[in-house]
Amino acid sequence: MRGLLTKGVGMTSDRTRGRLIDRLLAEGIDDEAVLGAIEQVPRHYFVDESIAHLAYEDRALPIGKRQTISQPFVVALMTKAVMQTPDVSKVLEIGTGCGYQAAVLANVVDSVYSVERIESLSLAARSRMRKLGLENVRIRFGDGFEGWEEHAPYDAVIVTAATSTIPEALKSQVRENGRIVVPIGRGGFQRLVCLDHMDGGWKETYMESVTFVPLLPGTTQ
Ligand code: SAH
């Protein structure tokens, strides 16, 4: 990813971006591959120009349609959790949003499939991937409750919206020894959870408290 489009100036410059990496390190993210992927992706390119100067702060930001771009710290945690899946190469994301998490994942795995229920966000994310030359990300407009059967099974599924129950379709699209990373809960009570598909069952590991918008059924413009 090179050129003027992604390089940024002033509040989006390399130096500002370097400060985000320092901040994540200070918060305990020490995985080099994860930090490298976050450093590669121009986060200011995933938000509106009017808030681009906030893009390298460690916080969620609005992206329109009452949705958000995830906080870099949470993106780092989830990316790390996905990378801990044995032999991970193909990942399904539910909740593309602006496409930031998908772009970070695209730097550490072979292929990323991502589903978004809001058509305008899905189209914008697809055009960003094209402009950034991320050919290993495929984006679909649809209801993530159904997963993306066509390319299943996946090594890992990452859900970037909160749910109280894991959609059955997602469980059925993860291979044995694969993993689902998902925020479970509602409102202010959400925990990031890893579900490992082993011995025909699911082993749960609870991680940090997080705040995500809800996983909603159906599609909309
Ligand atoms: N992954 C994003 C954050 C997404 S915010 C990032 O990198 O910043 C959560 C997204 O999930 C929203 O865009 C929302 O529209 C989407 N979403 C909610 N329910 C969904 C569903 N059933 N299927 C697909 N996307 C869904």
Side-chain angles (χ1 to χ4, degrees):
M1 277 184 269
R2 261 169 266 138
L4 279 179
L5 180 69
T6 58
K7 242 187 127 34
V9 290
M11 288 306 284
T12 60
S13 68
D14 282 352
R15 198 148 56 90
T16 310
R17 285 158 72 167
R19 277 203 293 272
L20 172 62
I21 300 302
D22 291 343
R23 172 93 189 253
L24 294 175
L25 264 168
E27 283 167 346
I29 304 291
D30 55 4
D31 188 301
E32 275 187 30
V34 172
L35 292 173
I38 289 179
E39 199 167 19
Q40 281 295 310
V41 179
R43 191 168 183 258
H44 66 276
Y45 191 59
F46 290 79
V47 297
D48 192 81
E49 242 178 287
S50 62
I51 54 168
H53 62 288
L54 301 174
Y56 296 97
E57 294 192 4
D58 187 23
R59 55 186 267 198
L61 294 168
I63 57 166
K65 301 270 175 182
R66 296 179 27 231
Q67 304 303 324
T68 53
I69 179 172
S70 296
Q71 181 190 350
F73 177 69
V74 176
V75 170
L77 284 179
M78 293 180 90
T79 305
K80 186 174 173 186
V82 165
M83 287 171 70
Q84 286 165 345
T85 313
D87 301 318
V88 61
S89 96
K90 184 165 57 158
V91 178
L92 172 67
E93 178 191 36
I94 304 302
T96 317
C98 61
Y100 179 65
Q101 170 75 74
V104 170
L105 280 170
N107 279 277
V108 291
V109 300
D110 288 344
S111 45
V112 180
Y113 295 86
S114 187
V115 182
E116 170 57 52
R117 68 180 288 275
I118 302 179
E119 189 173 29
S120 56
L121 294 181
S122 175
L123 292 172
R126 193 180 292 155
S127 125
R128 277 187 197 104
M129 298 305 157
R130 218 181 8 250
K131 287 185 184 143
L132 292 172
L134 291 172
E135 287 169 8
N136 59 340
V137 181
R138 292 187 55 190
I139 291 175
R140 171 172 176 247
F141 163 54
D143 182 357
F145 273 87
E146 294 162 14
W148 193 343
E149 180 69 47
E150 190 187 345
H151 303 286
Y154 301 94
D155 302 317
V157 173
I158 173 173
V159 184
T160 62
T163 178
S164 41
T165 50
I166 319 289
E168 282 306 315
L170 300 185
K171 287 184 166 176
S172 71
Q173 292 174 22
V174 180
R175 68 145 156 87
E176 177 73 17
N177 292 318
R179 170 175 267 199
I180 301 179
V181 181
V182 54
I184 295 190
R186 288 208 170 271
F189 301 96
Q190 302 171 14
R191 289 286 290 278
L192 209 53
V193 181
C194 289
L195 295 159
D196 289 308
H197 195 195
M198 29 189 4
D199 308 321
W202 296 90
K203 180 176 159 278
E204 298 179 3
T205 310
Y206 281 76
M207 311 201 297
E208 275 75 355
S209 297
V210 287
T211 308
F212 276 89
V213 296
L215 189 72
L216 300 173
T219 59
T220 179
Q221 301 314 112

